[in-house]
């Protein structure tokens, strides 16, 4: 027996977290998307997008992360019905808070539930990453894995991920009011194919310490190692006032600050996240911005 309607919530996430490009992700508390998936007597996929930034999300299933997943499921599992999807956005798209990843994660869990597919975590990550890839240009699992499983994520080979419970620490995400079309694709194209060995060594050092900090439940050690030489210097050019905003966060007491996912928002880790967020917003100068005060969420995507 199939289920006619499933509602699923999926949290937003921060990917990379400084030195962990395409490997680290953390799910966020209090910000997420809802997907309502329904059986349809019509074949194919019909998408309706509502909520924050809905006008920026294509409802064409070929160009939408949920649509890409459902088209793939139709081809592979041949259900006797089509799908209507309502995407209720709580995460602003194109900002670096894992918006397309959360919608992809929610759709994956919803269709798994509706069709009784019994997919493993690894298969869920793979299917959700396929949806993410449809909008980002290349499948990557850091956002979708964090949204799916919650907590702190270390992406491995072939969609294998390690998930750790994250300790409680403050996170502020400041989103400048600028919109970059096809942002993740562009942000990935900015990255060099070759990197200096000394930069790779620094990233390995900081990333290792961040993973250790999670297992030792040490938010200060985690934040103090947010240092990235591989991605941040190249992507900073996409973000107006980036270096001033980062410095303002550190001056206000942040343990660390970097680009949130593919940007253009910045995240900072610290105790006094309200002061840090205010200082970052001021440093954006004339550019309007929105502040999200949050913390890691150890709960991932769930049926509601
Ligand atoms: N790891 C990805 C990137 C996250 O930085 O390109 C953005 O979706």
């Amino acid at each position: 027996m199939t289920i006619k309607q499933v509602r699923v919530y999926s949290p937003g996430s921060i990917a990379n977290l400084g030195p962990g490009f395409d490997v680290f992700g953390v799910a966020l508390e209090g910000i997420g998307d809802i997907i309502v998936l329904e059986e349809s007597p019509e074949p194919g996929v019909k998408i309706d997008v509502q909520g924050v930034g809905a006008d920026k999300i294509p409802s064409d299933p070929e160009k939408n992360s949920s649509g890409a997943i459902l088209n793939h499921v139709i081809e592979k599992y041949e259900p006797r019905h089509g799908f209507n999807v309502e995407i209720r956005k709580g995460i602003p798209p194109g900002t670096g808070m894992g918006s397309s990843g959360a919608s992809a994660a929610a759709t994956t869990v919803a269709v798994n539930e509706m069709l009784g597919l019994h997919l493993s975590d690894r298969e869920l990550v793979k299917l959700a990453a396929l949806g993410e890839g449809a909008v980002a240009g290349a499948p990557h699992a850091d956002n979708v894995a964090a949204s799916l499983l919650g907590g702190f994520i270390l992406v491995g080979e072939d969609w294998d991920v390690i998930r750790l419970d994250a300790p409680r620490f403050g996170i502020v995400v400041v989103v400048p009011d600028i919109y970059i079309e096809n942002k993740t694709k562009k942000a990935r194209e900015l990255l060099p194919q070759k990197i200096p060995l000394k930069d790779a060594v620094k990233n390995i050092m900081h990333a290792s310490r961040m993973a250790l900090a999670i297992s030792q439940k040490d938010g200060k050690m985690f934040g103090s190692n947010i240092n990235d030489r591989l991605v941040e210097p190249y992507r900073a050019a996409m973000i107006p006032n980036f270096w001033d905003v980062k410095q303002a966060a550190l001056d206000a007491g942040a343990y660390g600050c970097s680009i949130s996912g593919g940007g253009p928002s910045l995240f900072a880790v610290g105790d006094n996240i309200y002061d840090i967020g205010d200082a970052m917003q001021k440093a954006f100068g004339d550019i309007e911005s929105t502040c999200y005060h949050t913390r890691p969420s150890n709960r991932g995507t769930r049926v509601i």
Side-chain angles (χ1 to χ4, degrees):
M1 199 185 88
T2 58
I3 307 167
K4 294 214 174 339
Q5 188 195 76
V6 188
R7 282 158 52 103
V8 173
Y9 173 83
S10 185
S13 63
I14 296 175
N16 305 334
L17 294 157
F21 177 66
D22 276 359
V23 175
F24 286 174
V26 71
L28 299 177
E29 189 66 43
I31 176 159
D33 287 354
I34 293 172
I35 291 277
V36 184
L37 182 68
E38 274 182 0
E39 277 186 24
S40 164
E42 307 291 327
V45 180
K46 208 165 148 239
I47 297 175
D48 176 35
V49 191
Q50 305 285 335
V52 191
D55 55 319
K56 300 192 178 85
I57 298 177
S59 54
D60 176 352
E62 302 291 331
K63 297 181 185 147
N64 179 293
S65 61
S66 301
I69 290 164
L70 295 169
N71 278 334
H72 175 82
V73 165
I74 288 172
E75 211 175 296
K76 182 162 179 187
Y77 298 98
E78 301 181 344
R80 273 185 272 163
H81 55 79
F83 297 103
N84 288 333
V85 198
E86 189 186 321
I87 303 174
R88 298 182 191 163
K89 295 300 298 177
I91 311 167
T95 58
M97 286 195 289
S99 175
S100 57
S103 290
T107 304
T108 301
V109 168
V111 76
N112 183 47
E113 186 77 14
M114 179 175 272
L115 301 185
L117 300 177
H118 305 291
L119 299 179
S120 65
D121 283 352
R122 195 168 180 159
E123 290 167 324
L124 290 171
V125 170
K126 184 176 177 182
L127 181 56
L130 178 148
E132 174 83 307
V135 292
H140 52 276
D142 42 5
N143 285 115
V144 294
S147 285
L148 276 168
L149 306 176
F152 176 75
I153 292 299
L154 291 147
V155 174
E157 295 288 359
D158 297 328
W159 316 111
D160 184 27
V161 297
I162 294 172
R163 177 208 176 277
L164 299 170
D165 259 348
R168 202 183 162 103
F169 51 78
I171 301 174
V172 60
V173 184
V174 180
V175 184
D177 191 9
I178 55 173
Y179 186 71
I180 306 165
E181 189 93 36
N182 291 325
K183 184 257 317 180
T184 304
K185 193 165 177 286
K186 285 183 188 149
R188 295 181 82 83
E189 284 166 1
L190 283 174
L191 303 179
Q193 293 305 310
K194 291 189 176 170
I195 48 159
L197 181 64
K198 63 179 186 352
D199 289 346
V201 170
K202 289 278 184 204
N203 266 53
I204 292 167
M205 177 187 83
H206 289 299
S208 308
R209 284 165 185 249
M210 285 177 78
L212 187 66
I214 291 287
S215 69
Q216 293 185 346
K217 309 220 171 298
D218 186 339
K220 188 171 177 182
M221 179 175 165
F222 181 82
S224 310
N225 280 285
I226 298 171
N227 283 298
D228 170 42
R229 304 268 192 110
L230 303 188
V231 172
E232 188 183 274
Y234 304 95
R235 287 185 173 171
M238 281 176 71
I239 306 169
N241 296 3
F242 173 80
W243 297 108
D244 291 342
V245 178
K246 177 169 168 140
Q247 193 56 50
L250 299 173
D251 291 346
Y255 297 132
C257 172
S258 189
I259 301 170
S260 184
S265 48
L266 280 80
F267 77 100
V269 168
D271 298 324
N272 52 335
I273 51 172
Y274 286 88
D275 296 340
I276 296 167
D278 285 351
M280 292 168 76
Q281 285 194 288
K282 274 199 196 97
F284 264 121
D286 289 345
I287 300 155
E288 296 283 316
S289 60
T290 309
C291 229
Y292 293 84
H293 303 95
T294 179
R295 61 176 187 272
S297 166
N298 283 321
R299 294 180 71 200
T301 302
R302 59 249 188 204
V303 176
I304 52 173

